[in-house]
Coordinates of all heavy atoms in Angstrom, one line a residue:
M1 N 0.8 -1.2 0.0 CA 0.0 0.0 0.0 C 0.9 1.3 0.0 O 0.5 2.2 -0.6 CB -0.9 0.0 1.2 CG -1.7 1.2 1.4 SD -3.4 0.8 1.8 CE -4.1 2.4 1.9
R2 N 2.0 1.2 0.7 CA 2.9 2.4 0.8 C 3.4 2.8 -0.6 O 3.3 4.0 -1.0 CB 4.0 2.0 1.7 CG 4.9 3.2 2.0 CD 6.0 2.7 3.0 NE 6.5 3.9 3.6 CZ 7.1 4.0 4.8 NH1 7.2 2.9 5.5 NH2 7.5 5.1 5.3
I3 N 3.8 1.8 -1.4 CA 4.3 2.1 -2.7 C 3.2 2.7 -3.6 O 3.4 3.6 -4.4 CB 5.0 0.9 -3.3 CG1 6.3 0.5 -2.5 CG2 5.4 1.1 -4.8 CD1 6.9 -0.8 -2.9
A4 N 2.1 2.1 -3.5 CA 0.9 2.6 -4.3 C 0.6 4.0 -4.0 O 0.3 4.8 -4.9 CB -0.3 1.7 -4.1
M5 N 0.6 4.4 -2.7 CA 0.3 5.7 -2.3 C 1.4 6.7 -2.8 O 1.0 7.8 -3.3 CB 0.2 5.8 -0.8 CG -1.1 5.2 -0.3 SD -1.3 5.4 1.5 CE -1.9 7.1 1.6
V6 N 2.6 6.3 -2.7 CA 3.7 7.2 -3.2 C 3.5 7.4 -4.7 O 3.7 8.5 -5.2 CB 5.1 6.6 -2.9 CG1 6.2 7.3 -3.6 CG2 5.3 6.6 -1.4
E7 N 3.2 6.3 -5.5 CA 3.0 6.4 -6.9 C 1.8 7.3 -7.2 O 1.9 8.2 -8.1 CB 2.8 5.0 -7.5 CG 2.6 5.0 -9.0 CD 3.7 5.6 -9.9 OE1 4.8 5.8 -9.3 OE2 3.5 5.9 -11.0
L8 N 0.7 7.2 -6.5 CA -0.4 8.0 -6.7 C -0.1 9.5 -6.4 O -0.5 10.4 -7.2 CB -1.6 7.6 -5.8 CG -2.9 8.4 -5.9 CD1 -3.4 8.4 -7.3 CD2 -3.9 7.8 -4.9
M9 N 0.7 9.8 -5.4 CA 1.0 11.1 -5.1 C 1.9 11.7 -6.2 O 1.8 12.9 -6.5 CB 1.7 11.2 -3.7 CG 0.8 11.1 -2.6 SD 1.5 11.3 -0.9 CE 2.6 9.9 -0.8
R10 N 2.8 10.9 -6.7 CA 3.7 11.3 -7.8 C 2.8 11.7 -9.1 O 3.0 12.7 -9.7 CB 4.7 10.2 -8.2 CG 5.6 10.7 -9.3 CD 6.5 9.5 -9.8 NE 5.7 8.5 -10.5 CZ 5.2 8.6 -11.7 NH1 5.4 9.7 -12.4 NH2 4.6 7.6 -12.3
L11 N 1.8 10.9 -9.4 CA 0.9 11.1 -10.5 C 0.1 12.4 -10.2 O -0.2 13.2 -11.2 CB 0.0 9.9 -10.7 CG 0.7 8.7 -11.3 CD1 -0.3 7.5 -11.3 CD2 1.3 8.9 -12.7
M12 N -0.3 12.6 -9.0 CA -1.1 13.8 -8.7 C -0.3 15.0 -8.9 O -0.7 16.0 -9.4 CB -1.6 13.7 -7.2 CG -2.7 12.6 -7.0 SD -3.0 12.3 -5.3 CE -4.2 13.6 -5.0
A13 N 1.0 15.0 -8.5 CA 1.9 16.1 -8.6 C 2.1 16.4 -10.1 O 2.1 17.6 -10.5 CB 3.2 15.8 -8.0
E14 N 2.2 15.4 -10.9 CA 2.4 15.6 -12.4 C 1.1 16.2 -13.0 O 1.2 17.1 -13.8 CB 2.7 14.2 -13.1 CG 4.0 13.7 -12.9 CD 4.3 12.4 -13.5 OE1 3.4 11.9 -14.3 OE2 5.4 11.8 -13.3
D15 N 0.0 15.8 -12.5 CA -1.3 16.4 -12.9 C -1.3 17.9 -12.6 O -1.8 18.7 -13.4 CB -2.5 15.7 -12.3 CG -3.8 16.3 -12.7 OD1 -4.1 16.3 -13.9 OD2 -4.5 16.8 -11.8
I16 N -0.9 18.3 -11.4 CA -0.8 19.7 -11.0 C 0.0 20.5 -12.0 O -0.4 21.6 -12.4 CB -0.3 19.8 -9.5 CG1 -1.4 19.2 -8.6 CG2 0.0 21.3 -9.2 CD1 -0.8 18.9 -7.2
V17 N 1.2 20.0 -12.3 CA 2.1 20.7 -13.2 C 1.4 20.8 -14.6 O 1.5 21.9 -15.2 CB 3.4 19.9 -13.3 CG1 4.3 20.5 -14.4 CG2 4.2 20.0 -12.0
A18 N 0.8 19.8 -15.0 CA 0.1 19.8 -16.4 C -1.0 20.8 -16.4 O -1.1 21.6 -17.3 CB -0.4 18.4 -16.7
E19 N -1.8 20.8 -15.3 CA -2.9 21.8 -15.3 C -2.4 23.2 -15.3 O -3.0 24.1 -16.0 CB -3.8 21.5 -14.0 CG -4.6 20.3 -14.1 CD -5.6 20.2 -15.2 OE1 -6.0 21.2 -15.8 OE2 -6.0 19.1 -15.6
E20 N -1.4 23.5 -14.5 CA -0.8 24.8 -14.5 C -0.2 25.2 -15.9 O -0.4 26.4 -16.3 CB 0.3 24.9 -13.4 CG 0.8 26.3 -13.2 CD -0.2 27.4 -12.8 OE1 -1.3 27.0 -12.2 OE2 0.0 28.6 -13.0
A21 N 0.4 24.3 -16.5 CA 0.9 24.5 -17.9 C -0.2 24.9 -18.9 O -0.1 25.8 -19.7 CB 1.7 23.3 -18.4
F22 N -1.3 24.1 -18.8 CA -2.4 24.4 -19.6 C -3.0 25.8 -19.3 O -3.3 26.6 -20.2 CB -3.6 23.4 -19.5 CG -3.4 22.1 -20.2 CD1 -3.4 20.9 -19.5 CD2 -3.1 22.1 -21.5 CE1 -3.3 19.7 -20.1 CE2 -2.9 20.9 -22.2 CZ -3.0 19.7 -21.5
A23 N -3.1 26.2 -18.0 CA -3.6 27.5 -17.6 C -2.7 28.6 -18.2 O -3.2 29.6 -18.7 CB -3.7 27.6 -16.1
I24 N -1.4 28.4 -18.1 CA -0.5 29.4 -18.6 C -0.6 29.6 -20.1 O -0.7 30.7 -20.6 CB 0.9 29.1 -18.2 CG1 1.1 29.3 -16.6 CG2 2.0 29.9 -18.9 CD1 2.4 28.7 -16.1
E25 N -0.7 28.5 -20.8 CA -0.8 28.5 -22.2 C -2.1 29.2 -22.7 O -2.1 30.0 -23.6 CB -0.7 27.1 -22.8 CG -0.6 27.1 -24.3 CD 0.5 27.9 -24.9 OE1 1.6 28.0 -24.3 OE2 0.4 28.4 -26.0
F26 N -3.2 28.8 -22.1 CA -4.5 29.5 -22.5 C -4.4 31.0 -22.1 O -5.0 31.8 -22.9 CB -5.7 28.8 -21.8 CG -6.1 27.5 -22.5 CD1 -6.1 26.3 -21.7 CD2 -6.4 27.5 -23.8 CE1 -6.5 25.1 -22.3 CE2 -6.8 26.3 -24.4 CZ -6.8 25.1 -23.7
A27 N -3.8 31.3 -21.0 CA -3.7 32.8 -20.7 C -2.9 33.5 -21.8 O -3.2 34.6 -22.2 CB -3.1 32.9 -19.3
R28 N -1.8 32.9 -22.2 CA -1.0 33.5 -23.3 C -1.8 33.6 -24.6 O -1.7 34.6 -25.3 CB 0.2 32.7 -23.6 CG 1.3 32.8 -22.5 CD 2.5 31.9 -22.8 NE 3.5 32.0 -21.7 CZ 4.3 31.1 -21.4 NH1 4.3 29.9 -22.1 NH2 5.1 31.2 -20.4
E29 N -2.6 32.6 -24.9 CA -3.4 32.6 -26.1 C -4.5 33.7 -26.0 O -4.8 34.4 -27.0 CB -4.1 31.3 -26.3 CG -3.1 30.2 -26.7 CD -2.5 30.4 -28.1 OE1 -3.1 31.0 -29.0 OE2 -1.3 30.0 -28.2
A30 N -5.0 33.9 -24.8 CA -6.0 35.0 -24.6 C -5.3 36.4 -24.8 O -5.9 37.2 -25.5 CB -6.5 34.9 -23.1
E31 N -4.1 36.5 -24.3 CA -3.4 37.8 -24.5 C -3.2 38.0 -26.0 O -3.4 39.1 -26.5 CB -2.1 37.7 -23.8 CG -1.4 39.1 -23.7 CD -0.1 39.0 -22.9 OE1 0.0 38.2 -22.0 OE2 0.8 39.8 -23.2
Q32 N -2.8 37.0 -26.7 CA -2.6 37.1 -28.1 C -3.9 37.5 -28.9 O -3.9 38.3 -29.8 CB -2.0 35.8 -28.7 CG -1.6 35.8 -30.1 CD -0.1 35.8 -30.3 OE1 0.6 35.6 -29.3 NE2 0.4 36.0 -31.5
A33 N -5.0 36.8 -28.5 CA -6.2 37.1 -29.2 C -6.7 38.5 -28.9 O -7.2 39.2 -29.8 CB -7.3 36.1 -28.7
D34 N -6.4 39.0 -27.7 CA -6.7 40.4 -27.4 C -5.9 41.3 -28.3 O -6.4 42.3 -28.8 CB -6.4 40.7 -25.9 CG -7.6 40.5 -25.0 OD1 -8.8 40.6 -25.5 OD2 -7.4 40.3 -23.8
H35 N -4.6 41.0 -28.4 CA -3.7 41.8 -29.2 C -4.1 41.9 -30.6 O -4.0 42.9 -31.3 CB -2.3 41.3 -29.0 CG -1.3 42.1 -29.8 ND1 -0.9 43.3 -29.4 CD2 -0.6 41.8 -30.9 CE1 0.0 43.8 -30.3 NE2 0.2 42.8 -31.2
M36 N -4.7 40.8 -31.1 CA -5.1 40.7 -32.5 C -6.5 41.2 -32.7 O -7.1 41.1 -33.8 CB -5.0 39.2 -33.0 CG -3.6 38.7 -33.0 SD -3.4 37.0 -33.5 CE -3.9 37.1 -35.2
G37 N -7.2 41.7 -31.7 CA -8.5 42.3 -31.8 C -9.6 41.2 -31.8 O -10.7 41.5 -32.5
D38 N -9.5 40.1 -31.2 CA -10.5 39.1 -31.2 C -10.9 38.8 -29.7 O -10.5 37.9 -29.1 CB -9.9 37.8 -31.8 CG -11.0 36.7 -32.0 OD1 -12.1 36.9 -31.6 OD2 -10.6 35.7 -32.6
P39 N -11.8 39.7 -29.2 CA -12.1 39.6 -27.8 C -13.0 38.4 -27.4 O -12.9 37.8 -26.3 CB -12.9 40.9 -27.5 CG -13.4 41.3 -28.8 CD -12.4 40.9 -29.8
A40 N -13.7 37.9 -28.4 CA -14.5 36.7 -28.1 C -13.6 35.5 -27.9 O -13.8 34.7 -26.9 CB -15.5 36.4 -29.3
T41 N -12.6 35.3 -28.7 CA -11.7 34.2 -28.5 C -10.9 34.4 -27.3 O -10.6 33.4 -26.5 CB -10.7 34.1 -29.8 OG1 -11.5 33.8 -30.9 CG2 -9.7 33.0 -29.6
A42 N -10.5 35.6 -27.0 CA -9.8 35.9 -25.7 C -10.6 35.5 -24.5 O -10.0 34.9 -23.6 CB -9.4 37.4 -25.7
D43 N -11.9 35.8 -24.5 CA -12.7 35.4 -23.4 C -12.8 33.9 -23.2 O -12.7 33.4 -22.1 CB -14.1 36.0 -23.6 CG -14.2 37.5 -23.4 OD1 -13.3 38.1 -22.8 OD2 -15.2 38.1 -23.8
I44 N -12.9 33.2 -24.3 CA -12.9 31.7 -24.2 C -11.6 31.2 -23.7 O -11.6 30.3 -22.8 CB -13.2 31.1 -25.6 CG1 -14.6 31.5 -26.1 CG2 -13.0 29.6 -25.6 CD1 -14.9 31.2 -27.5
M45 N -10.5 31.8 -24.2 CA -9.2 31.3 -23.7 C -9.0 31.6 -22.2 O -8.4 30.8 -21.5 CB -8.1 32.0 -24.5 CG -8.0 31.6 -26.0 SD -7.6 29.8 -26.1 CE -9.0 29.3 -27.1
R46 N -9.5 32.8 -21.8 CA -9.4 33.2 -20.4 C -10.2 32.2 -19.5 O -9.8 31.8 -18.4 CB -9.8 34.6 -20.1 CG -8.7 35.6 -20.3 CD -9.1 37.0 -19.8 NE -10.0 37.6 -20.7 CZ -9.7 38.3 -21.8 NH1 -8.4 38.4 -22.1 NH2 -10.6 38.8 -22.6
D47 N -11.4 31.9 -20.0 CA -12.2 30.9 -19.3 C -11.5 29.6 -19.2 O -11.5 29.0 -18.1 CB -13.6 30.8 -20.0 CG -14.5 29.8 -19.2 OD1 -14.8 30.1 -18.1 OD2 -14.9 28.8 -19.8
L48 N -11.0 29.1 -20.2 CA -10.2 27.8 -20.2 C -9.0 27.9 -19.2 O -8.8 26.9 -18.5 CB -9.8 27.4 -21.6 CG -10.9 27.0 -22.5 CD1 -10.4 26.9 -24.0 CD2 -11.5 25.7 -22.1
S49 N -8.4 29.0 -19.3 CA -7.2 29.2 -18.3 C -7.7 29.1 -16.9 O -7.1 28.4 -16.1 CB -6.6 30.6 -18.6 OG -5.5 30.8 -17.7
R50 N -8.8 29.8 -16.6 CA -9.3 29.8 -15.2 C -9.7 28.4 -14.8 O -9.5 27.9 -13.7 CB -10.5 30.7 -15.1 CG -10.1 32.2 -14.9 CD -11.3 33.0 -14.5 NE -12.3 33.1 -15.5 CZ -12.3 34.0 -16.5 NH1 -11.4 34.9 -16.6 NH2 -13.3 34.0 -17.4
R51 N -10.4 27.7 -15.7 CA -10.8 26.3 -15.4 C -9.6 25.4 -15.1 O -9.7 24.6 -14.1 CB -11.6 25.7 -16.5 CG -13.0 26.3 -16.7 CD -13.6 25.8 -18.0 NE -14.8 26.6 -18.3 CZ -16.0 26.0 -18.2 NH1 -16.2 24.8 -17.9 NH2 -17.1 26.8 -18.5
H52 N -8.5 25.5 -15.8 CA -7.4 24.7 -15.6 C -6.7 25.1 -14.3 O -6.1 24.3 -13.5 CB -6.4 24.7 -16.8 CG -6.9 23.8 -17.9 ND1 -6.7 22.5 -17.9 CD2 -7.5 24.1 -19.0 CE1 -7.2 22.0 -19.0 NE2 -7.7 23.0 -19.7
R53 N -6.7 26.4 -14.0 CA -6.1 26.9 -12.8 C -6.8 26.3 -11.6 O -6.2 25.9 -10.6 CB -6.1 28.4 -12.8 CG -5.5 29.1 -11.6 CD -4.1 29.6 -11.6 NE -3.3 29.5 -12.8 CZ -2.9 30.4 -13.6 NH1 -3.2 31.7 -13.4 NH2 -2.1 30.2 -14.6
V54 N -8.2 26.3 -11.7 CA -9.0 25.8 -10.6 C -8.8 24.3 -10.4 O -8.6 23.8 -9.3 CB -10.5 26.1 -10.8 CG1 -11.4 25.3 -9.9 CG2 -10.7 27.6 -10.7
K55 N -8.7 23.6 -11.5 CA -8.4 22.1 -11.4 C -7.1 21.9 -10.8 O -7.0 21.0 -9.9 CB -8.4 21.5 -12.8 CG -9.8 21.2 -13.3 CD -9.8 20.6 -14.7 CE -9.4 19.2 -14.6 NZ -9.4 18.5 -15.9
G56 N -6.1 22.7 -11.1 CA -4.8 22.6 -10.4 C -4.9 22.8 -8.9 O -4.3 22.1 -8.1
L57 N -5.6 23.8 -8.5 CA -5.7 24.2 -7.1 C -6.5 23.0 -6.4 O -6.1 22.7 -5.3 CB -6.4 25.5 -6.9 CG -5.6 26.7 -7.4 CD1 -6.5 28.0 -7.4 CD2 -4.4 26.9 -6.5
E58 N -7.5 22.5 -7.0 CA -8.2 21.4 -6.4 C -7.3 20.2 -6.3 O -7.3 19.5 -5.2 CB -9.4 21.0 -7.3 CG -10.5 22.1 -7.3 CD -11.6 21.8 -8.3 OE1 -11.4 21.0 -9.2 OE2 -12.7 22.4 -8.1
S59 N -6.5 20.0 -7.2 CA -5.5 18.8 -7.2 C -4.5 19.1 -6.1 O -4.1 18.1 -5.4 CB -4.8 18.6 -8.5 OG -5.8 18.2 -9.5
I60 N -4.1 20.3 -5.9 CA -3.2 20.6 -4.8 C -3.8 20.2 -3.4 O -3.2 19.6 -2.6 CB -2.8 22.1 -4.8 CG1 -1.8 22.3 -6.0 CG2 -2.1 22.5 -3.5 CD1 -1.5 23.8 -6.2
G61 N -5.1 20.5 -3.3 CA -5.8 20.2 -2.0 C -5.9 18.7 -1.8 O -5.7 18.1 -0.7
R62 N -6.2 17.9 -2.9 CA -6.3 16.5 -2.8 C -4.9 15.9 -2.5 O -4.8 14.9 -1.7 CB -6.8 15.9 -4.1 CG -8.3 16.1 -4.3 CD -8.9 15.3 -5.4 NE -8.4 15.7 -6.7 CZ -8.9 16.7 -7.4 NH1 -9.9 17.4 -7.0 NH2 -8.4 17.0 -8.6
L63 N -3.9 16.4 -3.1 CA -2.5 15.9 -2.8 C -2.1 16.2 -1.4 O -1.6 15.3 -0.7 CB -1.5 16.6 -3.8 CG 0.0 16.2 -3.6 CD1 0.2 14.7 -3.6 CD2 0.9 16.9 -4.6
A64 N -2.5 17.4 -0.9 CA -2.2 17.7 0.5 C -2.9 16.7 1.5 O -2.3 16.2 2.4 CB -2.6 19.1 0.9
A65 N -4.1 16.4 1.1 CA -4.9 15.4 2.0 C -4.2 14.0 1.9 O -4.1 13.3 2.9 CB -6.3 15.3 1.5
M66 N -3.8 13.6 0.7 CA -3.1 12.3 0.5 C -1.8 12.3 1.3 O -1.5 11.3 2.0 CB -2.9 12.0 -0.9 CG -2.2 10.7 -1.2 SD -3.2 9.3 -0.8 CE -4.3 9.2 -2.2
Q67 N -1.1 13.4 1.3 CA 0.2 13.5 2.0 C 0.0 13.4 3.5 O 0.7 12.7 4.2 CB 1.0 14.7 1.6 CG 1.5 14.7 0.2 CD 2.0 16.1 -0.2 OE1 1.6 17.1 0.2 NE2 3.0 16.1 -1.1
F68 N -1.1 14.0 4.0 CA -1.4 13.9 5.4 C -1.8 12.5 5.8 O -1.3 12.0 6.8 CB -2.6 14.9 5.7 CG -3.0 14.8 7.2 CD1 -2.2 15.5 8.1 CD2 -4.1 14.1 7.5 CE1 -2.6 15.4 9.5 CE2 -4.5 14.1 8.9 CZ -3.7 14.7 9.8
R69 N -2.6 11.9 4.9 CA -3.0 10.5 5.2 C -1.8 9.6 5.2 O -1.6 8.7 6.1 CB -4.0 10.0 4.2 CG -4.4 8.6 4.5 CD -5.8 8.3 4.0 NE -6.1 6.9 4.4 CZ -7.2 6.3 4.1 NH1 -8.1 7.0 3.5 NH2 -7.3 5.1 4.5
Y70 N -0.9 9.8 4.2 CA 0.3 9.0 4.2 C 1.2 9.1 5.4 O 1.6 8.2 6.0 CB 1.1 9.4 2.9 CG 2.4 8.6 2.7 CD1 2.4 7.4 2.0 CD2 3.6 9.0 3.3 CE1 3.6 6.7 1.9 CE2 4.8 8.3 3.2 CZ 4.8 7.2 2.4 OH 5.9 6.4 2.3
A71 N 1.3 10.4 5.9 CA 2.1 10.7 7.0 C 1.5 10.0 8.3 O 2.3 9.5 9.1 CB 2.3 12.2 7.2
T72 N 0.2 10.0 8.4 CA -0.4 9.4 9.6 C -0.3 7.9 9.6 O -0.3 7.3 10.6 CB -1.9 9.9 9.7 OG1 -2.6 9.5 8.6 CG2 -2.0 11.4 10.0
M73 N -0.2 7.4 8.4 CA -0.2 5.9 8.3 C 1.2 5.3 8.4 O 1.4 4.3 9.0 CB -0.8 5.4 6.9 CG -2.3 5.6 6.8 SD -2.9 5.3 5.2 CE -2.7 3.5 5.1
F74 N 2.2 6.1 7.8 CA 3.6 5.5 7.7 C 4.7 6.2 8.4 O 5.7 5.7 8.7 CB 3.9 5.3 6.2 CG 2.9 4.5 5.5 CD1 2.1 5.0 4.5 CD2 2.8 3.1 5.7 CE1 1.2 4.2 3.8 CE2 1.9 2.3 5.0 CZ 1.1 2.9 4.1
D75 N 4.5 7.5 8.6 CA 5.6 8.3 9.2 C 5.3 8.4 10.7 O 4.7 9.4 11.2 CB 5.7 9.7 8.6 CG 6.2 9.6 7.2 OD1 6.7 8.6 6.8 OD2 6.0 10.6 6.5
R76 N 5.8 7.5 11.5 CA 5.6 7.5 12.9 C 6.9 7.7 13.7 O 7.9 7.4 13.4 CB 4.9 6.2 13.4 CG 3.6 6.2 12.7 CD 2.9 4.9 13.2 NE 1.7 4.9 12.3 CZ 0.7 4.1 12.6 NH1 0.7 3.3 13.6 NH2 -0.4 4.1 11.8

């Protein structure tokens, strides 16, 4: 169980990094769309950026809970 939890936490951390990367990329695309005079596309890109940022924050919370559980089970 210990190894499985460590692997799950590693995957969760990778997910957090990926979500943040998506958020950053969509924010850049929104800025570019604004610069090119396409506010509708910019709004969509900003919305996608926010959604990925929120997913990343939610994942951070889940990872923190998993780390706490791991610590209470194995780090005595």
Side-chain angles (χ1 to χ4, degrees):
M1 175 135 179
R2 187 177 202 155
I3 294 171
M5 286 183 81
V6 169
E7 179 63 14
L8 179 58
M9 289 187 289
R10 185 188 66 76
L11 292 172
M12 293 169 82
E14 287 179 6
D15 179 61
I16 292 164
V17 171
E19 290 298 341
E20 186 61 23
F22 281 127
I24 290 168
E25 185 59 32
F26 281 122
R28 286 181 183 150
E29 292 294 327
E31 187 177 333
Q32 186 108 8
D34 269 336
H35 181 70
M36 296 176 69
D38 189 353
T41 298
D43 286 344
I44 292 168
M45 294 294 123
R46 273 190 287 277
D47 182 60
L48 290 169
S49 177
R50 279 190 296 272
R51 289 172 189 248
H52 283 283
R53 181 100 356 113
V54 168
K55 281 180 71 176
L57 291 170
E58 290 169 344
S59 294
I60 289 169
R62 285 191 296 276
L63 177 57
M66 179 67 76
Q67 289 170 330
F68 178 77
R69 179 154 183 179
Y70 180 89
T72 59
M73 291 173 70
F74 301 113
D75 292 343
R76 295 181 188 195

